Coordinates of all heavy atoms in Angstrom, one line a residue:
K94 N 3.5 20.1 31.8 CA 4.8 20.8 31.9 C 5.7 20.5 30.8 O 5.7 19.4 30.3 CB 5.5 20.1 33.2 CG 4.8 20.0 34.5 CD 5.6 19.8 35.7 CE 6.2 18.4 35.8 NZ 5.2 17.3 36.2
W106 N 15.3 16.2 40.2 CA 13.9 15.9 40.6 C 14.0 14.8 41.5 O 14.5 13.6 41.2 CB 13.0 15.6 39.4 CG 12.7 16.8 38.5 CD1 13.5 17.2 37.5 CD2 11.5 17.6 38.5 NE1 12.8 18.3 36.9 CE2 11.6 18.6 37.6 CE3 10.4 17.5 39.3 CZ2 10.6 19.4 37.3 CZ3 9.3 18.5 39.0 CH2 9.5 19.4 38.1
H109 N 9.9 10.6 44.0 CA 8.5 10.9 44.3 C 7.6 10.1 43.6 O 8.0 9.5 42.6 CB 8.2 12.4 44.1 CG 8.2 12.9 42.7 ND1 9.3 13.0 41.9 CD2 7.2 13.2 41.9 CE1 9.1 13.3 40.7 NE2 7.8 13.5 40.5
Q110 N 6.3 10.2 43.9 CA 5.2 9.7 43.1 C 4.3 10.9 42.8 O 4.0 11.7 43.7 CB 4.3 8.7 43.9 CG 4.8 7.5 44.4 CD 3.9 6.8 45.4 OE1 3.6 7.3 46.5 NE2 3.5 5.6 45.1
D111 N 3.9 11.1 41.6 CA 3.0 12.2 41.2 C 1.7 12.2 42.0 O 1.4 13.2 42.4 CB 2.9 12.4 39.7 CG 4.1 12.8 39.0 OD1 5.2 13.0 39.6 OD2 3.9 13.1 37.8
N128 N 0.8 9.7 33.6 CA 1.6 10.6 33.0 C 2.1 10.2 31.7 O 2.3 8.9 31.4 CB 2.8 10.7 33.9 CG 2.8 11.7 35.1 OD1 2.2 12.7 34.9 ND2 3.2 11.3 36.2
F198 N 3.5 6.5 32.1 CA 3.9 5.9 33.4 C 2.7 6.1 34.5 O 2.1 7.2 34.4 CB 5.2 6.1 33.9 CG 5.6 7.5 34.1 CD1 5.6 8.1 35.4 CD2 6.0 8.3 33.0 CE1 6.1 9.5 35.6 CE2 6.4 9.7 33.3 CZ 6.4 10.2 34.5
H204 N 9.5 7.8 40.9 CA 10.5 8.2 39.8 C 11.3 9.4 40.3 O 10.9 10.1 41.3 CB 9.9 8.5 38.5 CG 8.9 9.5 38.6 ND1 7.5 9.4 39.1 CD2 8.8 10.8 38.1 CE1 6.9 10.5 39.0 NE2 7.6 11.5 38.4
Ligands
MN2 MN1 7.0 13.5 38.6

Side-chain angles (χ1 to χ4, degrees):
K94 307 194 289 287
W106 287 80
H109 68 282
Q110 294 174 300
D111 282 9
N128 276 320
F198 58 103
H204 61 284

